[in-house]
Amino acid sequence: MNTITAAITAVGAYVPDFVLSNKVLETMVDTNDEWITTRTGIKERRILKDADKGTSFLAIKAAQDLIAKANIDPLEIDMIIMATATADMPVASTGVYVATEIGATNAFAYDLQAACSSFLYGMSTAAAYVQSGRYKKVLLIGADKMSSIVDYKDRATCIIFGDGAGAVLFEPNYEGLGLQDEYLRSDGVGRDFLKIPAGGSLIPTTLETVQNNQHNIIQDGKTVFKYAVTNMADASELILKRNNLTNEDVNWLVPHQANKRIIDATASRMNLEDSKVLMNIEKYGNTTSATLPLVLNDFEHQFKKGDNIIFAAFGGGFTWGSIYLKWAYDKK
């Protein structure tokens, strides 16, 4: 029996229509376009304005886009992994609802939360299920409605985050394509530097926590930046060395879209030319779990079968890592 590898065979995406530009943010907080662009590389981000729609709406749209483009029957999907930091509800699984809404009623589903590394961790998990031989079609969705947890009076965070969703389908491959290697890590030292303080079991929701604005995301930007630069770059460099890859062997770097300076530092460590570094941060900002699949969707037409792609991410917790994947198809 041939060895099974897990390959990405289809991608899909969705972003809301409303564009929150730097110019608009200038009217909301004490900031300006030049300051934001210089420090983050972000020009605009998409916002889901509908108050009655949550992360599940974004995820459903991205999944439906993939299903339509790949022309697959939702009933053939075996399982769904919902990578998100902004689940619709604290208990009822968002992934389960998404599975039902897209007609994947033969699939089991669950949520995976590792902050901005959620999709990267999800790639590892989805690939493992496929490589086990038990599942043929695993749908991995990364989606976040970050606007639901951002304080738009806090210029340290409101300039960074946006809403969006992306999805990929993992299937068995017998040509040696797909996920080749991974290096995933975490460190609880980051617990206090990027978080939502209240709403969990440690500090349950009360009138006081709401009044004190403890249900929005807060971060120590300088500390997070320092750890992100070091760990994303280290992980990416390690994955190259472990697989005897040089910068010439790498076709594309798909990095988490949190900050252009972090991406530049990672690419520099890998000694990659700019043309190999894929970015759309200027259009979407940091969509947390959705950044990696949104990049795949935007640049899918450039990928060729057999291309070596390095993924890298860093998130709150702290969580981080890198994945080496061989692309499995040419876009038709």
Side-chain angles (χ1 to χ4, degrees):
M1 182 177 180
N2 293 332
T3 301
I4 300 173
T5 52
I8 291 174
T9 58
V11 301
Y14 175 80
V15 291
D17 293 330
F18 182 83
V19 177
L20 178 58
S21 67
N22 290 348
K23 290 296 183 183
V24 174
L25 278 174
E26 288 179 2
T27 69
M28 299 167 60
V29 292
D30 181 18
T31 190
N32 61 72
D33 174 67
E34 182 183 5
W35 191 91
I36 297 171
T37 303
T38 301
R39 285 161 178 78
T40 68
I42 301 168
K43 284 288 188 181
E44 56 190 38
R45 60 291 294 146
R46 301 298 185 94
I47 304 297
L48 181 59
K49 299 289 283 185
D50 309 62
D52 62 339
K53 292 182 173 66
T55 293
S56 61
F57 174 80
L58 301 168
I60 290 166
K61 288 288 190 181
Q64 289 173 335
D65 181 53
L66 181 150
I67 289 167
K69 289 195 300 186
N71 191 29
I72 64 169
D73 183 350
L75 294 175
E76 294 178 357
I77 298 172
D78 298 312
M79 66 173 295
I80 293 174
I81 301 172
M82 179 75 220
T84 185
T86 55
D88 282 3
M89 303 177 188
V91 175
S93 169
T94 302
V96 170
Y97 177 69
V98 170
T100 298
E101 290 299 298
I102 66 173
T105 52
N106 288 325
F108 76 98
Y110 61 85
D111 296 354
L112 188 158
Q113 207 281 72
C116 291
S117 300
S118 296
F119 192 86
L120 190 78
Y121 282 22
M123 289 177 67
S124 170
T125 308
Y129 276 112
V130 170
Q131 289 166 350
S132 75
R134 294 182 180 181
Y135 305 96
K136 302 295 186 185
K137 285 182 167 59
V138 178
L139 181 64
L140 170 62
I141 307 170
D144 272 303
K145 185 183 178 182
M146 294 303 293
S147 61
S148 67
I149 58 172
V150 166
D151 177 2
Y152 284 92
K153 295 178 182 178
D154 176 16
R155 72 172 187 171
T157 55
C158 74
I159 66 169
I160 298 170
F161 296 102
D163 302 338
V168 302
L169 185 69
F170 274 92
E171 293 187 273
N173 184 276
Y174 300 95
E175 301 176 86
L177 303 173
L179 197 145
Q180 305 294 307
D181 194 14
E182 62 184 46
Y183 178 79
L184 306 177
R185 289 294 183 270
S186 60
D187 188 342
V189 70
R191 182 178 169 98
D192 291 328
F193 299 122
L194 180 55
K195 64 182 179 179
I196 297 175
S201 61
L202 184 63
I203 306 176
T205 304
T206 64
L207 179 60
E208 185 178 12
T209 63
V210 175
Q211 291 174 337
N212 291 339
N213 199 30
Q214 292 177 271
H215 295 269
N216 288 320
I217 192 168
I218 60 172
Q219 74 168 352
D220 177 341
K222 290 183 178 179
T223 301
V224 172
F225 179 85
K226 180 182 71 175
Y227 275 91
V229 166
T230 301
N231 288 312
M232 261 183 68
D234 284 351
S236 301
E237 185 179 39
L238 185 146
I239 209 82
L240 293 187
K241 289 182 177 178
R242 199 158 74 179
N243 290 277
N244 297 314
L245 297 173
T246 69
N247 60 324
E248 295 295 327
D249 297 318
V250 176
N251 296 104
W252 310 104
L253 172 66
V254 177
H256 171 51
Q257 309 287 300
N259 185 301
K260 186 178 183 297
R261 291 186 295 167
I262 297 173
I263 295 171
D264 289 343
T266 302
S268 177
R269 180 76 70 82
M270 298 170 68
N271 196 26
L272 287 182
E273 54 194 73
D274 291 345
S275 61
K276 293 184 175 183
V277 183
L278 303 183
M279 281 190 278
N280 56 14
I281 189 172
E282 72 282 355
K283 296 192 297 181
Y284 307 130
N286 183 353
T287 54
T288 303
S289 306
T291 65
L292 297 182
L294 281 175
V295 170
L296 291 180
N297 187 75
D298 281 1
F299 293 94
E300 181 190 17
H301 62 285
Q302 295 187 25
F303 302 153
K304 301 299 181 186
K305 184 176 180 179
D307 276 359
N308 291 320
I309 303 178
I310 303 297
F311 294 80
F314 181 89
F318 290 127
T319 60
W320 71 92
S322 182
I323 282 177
Y324 165 34
L325 177 140
K326 281 185 173 292
W327 197 247
Y329 64 94
D330 295 320
K331 173 84 171 156
K332 295 179 181 179

